Amino acid sequence: MRGYWITWAVLLIFTVAMLWADGAAASISRPTFVLFMLAAMLTKASIISANFMHLRSERSGLVATVVIGLFVTGVILYVLIAPDAARIHAMLRPR
């Protein structure tokens, strides 16, 4: 039970840091902001999958299957959504 509380506290710290970075986004360069947010989100996802999905105690084959499956799903979603987002962005651009 103690491990869940520690995990919750770490996730809360990451969430507060991400909210702070969002509030300070005007004073942080865009690439630094995006890199920080991506790193924080990946770290939070890793902590959640290790602790709440119990992947920390599983065999490496199962962990690799889950990680590869999530990566492939993310790539498919990006490939399907990005062209539409680019089209909408082009439509909203002032002429």
Side-chain angles (χ1 to χ4, degrees), residues 17-18 20-36:
M18 291 171 71
W20 172 82
D22 186 44
S27 62
I28 302 173
S29 70
R30 182 79 175 167
T32 303
F33 174 73
V34 170
L35 183 66
F36 172 75

Side-chain angles (χ1 to χ4, degrees), residues 50-61:
N51 291 312
F52 297 121
M53 293 174 65
H54 307 287
L55 291 179
R56 179 179 290 174
S57 60
E58 293 294 338
R59 288 178 280 139
S60 60

